[in-house]
Each structure stands twice: as structure tokens, then as C-alpha cells.
Amino acid sequence: MSVVIRLARAGTKKRPVYHVVVADSRFPRDGRFIERLGHFNPLLPKDNETRLKLDMDKVKAWLAKGAQPSDRVSRFLDAAGVKKREARNNPEKAVPRKERKAQAEAAAKG
């Protein structure tokens, strides 16, 4: 069973609030979960301390058990200094589509 730490959406339409939960990766995003670790409110300003609340003892315990954090949760944990997140590199994303297409055609011909 692969266990993940991820966000589960709550709140009303156009007013999202997310619960940080530990769940089996096969379960739906907003479905069954094992334990709730905290919450995240993206509508609050970034400098507000109530924007993100996590129970760090529980998070560390689940990471020790082998739970894998999602990308967004790993960003939160990196900012908190709990788990280092490796930098991602996608050089293709920065190239405009037409230029990318022309480069692919040129590579296919030559």
C-alpha cells in the first residue's frame, strides 16, 4: 500500500480550503483518508500564520513510515525545513511552441 501526504479539497464553490491528509494513493482526492495532519487556506495572504497549519510531529512520523508527500505538500515541508525538496528542471517549458515545433522538424530532417 503506497501512502501519500496530499491536499484534500474542502470549502464551498470558489472558496477553497484544503485539508492536509495522509491517504492511500488509490483513494480519490477528497475521499477516504487515514489521518488529517493540518489545513491550508490559499485565500489568506502569504504572510499570515494561519494560512498553513501542520502538526509537524505527525508529519515527521508519517515520513519516517515511508509516506510520500505530493509536490505541493513537499513545498510546504521544504519551507518549514522538515524535508528538502529537489529542484525541478524543465527547459522545454520555457521555449515557445512554434519554436519548439520548428526545432523538432529541423532535428528530424538533419
Side-chain angles (χ1 to χ4, degrees):
M1 176 171 89
S2 105
V3 178
V4 293
I5 302 174
R6 65 178 174 207
L7 298 176
R9 188 178 163 131
T12 61
K13 185 167 75 170
K14 309 244 186 214
R15 305 284 297 170
V17 175
Y18 295 92
H19 297 291
V20 181
V21 297
V22 177
D24 188 327
S25 63
R26 297 171 291 185
F27 294 156
R29 178 194 70 181
D30 301 336
R32 197 164 89 189
F33 61 89
I34 300 168
E35 185 175 11
R36 185 175 293 154
L37 304 179
H39 61 86
F40 170 62
N41 187 351
L43 299 177
L44 294 176
K46 292 187 178 183
D47 59 348
N48 192 336
E49 66 274 353
T50 59
R51 179 179 164 101
L52 174 69
K53 287 282 187 184
L54 286 175
D55 187 346
M56 287 300 173
D57 294 332
K58 289 182 181 180
V59 170
K60 290 176 186 175
W62 278 106
L63 288 174
K65 292 176 189 175
Q68 295 296 315
S70 67
D71 185 52
R72 177 58 56 185
V73 173
S74 63
R75 287 173 189 255
F76 295 152
L77 297 179
D78 186 30
V82 175
K83 183 176 181 187
K84 186 68 177 155
R85 179 178 164 267
E86 65 279 350
R88 293 188 169 201
N89 185 16
N90 187 359
E92 288 291 317
K93 188 173 182 181
V95 179
R97 188 174 197 158
K98 289 180 183 177
E99 291 180 17
R100 221 176 28 227
K101 195 173 188 180
Q103 287 175 356
E105 290 172 359
K109 290 180 183 177

